[in-house]
Amino acid sequence: MTALQHLQPTSHSLLSALPSGWVGEILDGELVASPRPSVAPARAAFMMGVELGERLDKRRGGNGRWCFLRAPELHLGEDLLVPDLAGWRRERVAAPPEPGAGFFNLVPDWVCEVLTPATTGLDRARKLPLYARAGVSFVWLVDPLARTLEVYQRVKRGWLLTASHEDDALVRAEPFPSVPLELGSLWLPDVPEELPRLLAVP
């Protein structure tokens, strides 16, 4: 068993130079910056963590078989990736991550990327092959605008799309087939016209 480990921030100077509100990743040696997610993707990522955590995280009353992290910085070989969510099977993690650890090199078993108009091409065309190369077993792609979930499993030649779901479907998908996921909980609810909306402050 291998504990989650933190790496020295060798690329920290490049990442720290990014403007506030941007997330930096290093893909095949290239620094790539993406804007932080807007409300709909942020809610989808948060609710995905809630839905899975309550059933699979021991501290939330779940079976304790998984360890989840929100937006961890992963050092996978020469690549530095920041998925929206990542999960490790508990038997692969000897101990909880150190409280101050910010860099991890244990390859996740599962990764979830929440697509946005600004990151869809990056997530699909560049990050998916890197996750496969690193040995990630499952990737979920969530599109909060289209209200869809795509489930990918790594096979010998890359990724196999094993399932796709949409709208308010009740989902049981690998690698969590015992967990019923209410897909509708990920989406922003419709707000009646008479109620106030959250407004972004410039």
Side-chain angles (χ1 to χ4, degrees), residues 165-202:
H165 307 275
E166 61 183 357
D167 296 328
D168 297 329
L170 184 64
V171 175
R172 294 179 184 268
E174 293 288 351
F176 318 112
S178 64
V179 176
L181 172 66
E182 296 181 9
L183 202 59
S185 69
L186 306 185
W187 321 134
L188 283 174
D190 294 327
V191 180
E193 290 298 324
E194 64 271 15
L195 294 181
R197 293 179 178 269
L198 287 174
L199 299 178
V201 177

Side-chain angles (χ1 to χ4, degrees), residues 9-26 31-34 36 73 80 103:
T10 55
S11 303
H12 184 65
S13 58
L14 290 173
L15 299 176
S16 61
L18 293 173
S20 176
W22 289 75
V23 177
E25 299 176 289
I26 297 177
L31 175 62
V32 178
S34 306
R36 290 193 180 277
E73 184 172 301
L80 188 159
F103 305 89

Side-chain angles (χ1 to χ4, degrees), residues 39-120:
V39 175
R43 176 187 168 84
F46 171 77
M47 290 304 298
M48 179 71 79
V50 169
E51 290 284 327
L52 295 177
E54 287 188 346
R55 294 166 175 81
L56 297 170
D57 191 293
K58 189 174 182 180
R59 289 183 178 272
R60 299 297 299 167
N63 59 30
R65 294 177 183 172
W66 285 80
C67 172
F68 295 104
L69 289 176
R70 172 79 174 91
E73 184 172 301
L74 305 176
H75 287 227
L76 306 179
E78 298 299 318
D79 300 310
L80 188 159
L81 299 105
V82 184
D84 291 294
L85 289 162
W88 293 259
R89 296 183 190 275
R90 183 64 68 177
E91 62 264 24
R92 295 183 58 227
V93 182
E98 298 176 11
F103 305 89
F104 305 95
N105 66 354
L106 182 61
V107 177
D109 296 289
W110 168 85
V111 159
C112 178
E113 294 284 7
V114 180
L115 307 179
T116 71
T119 65
T120 295

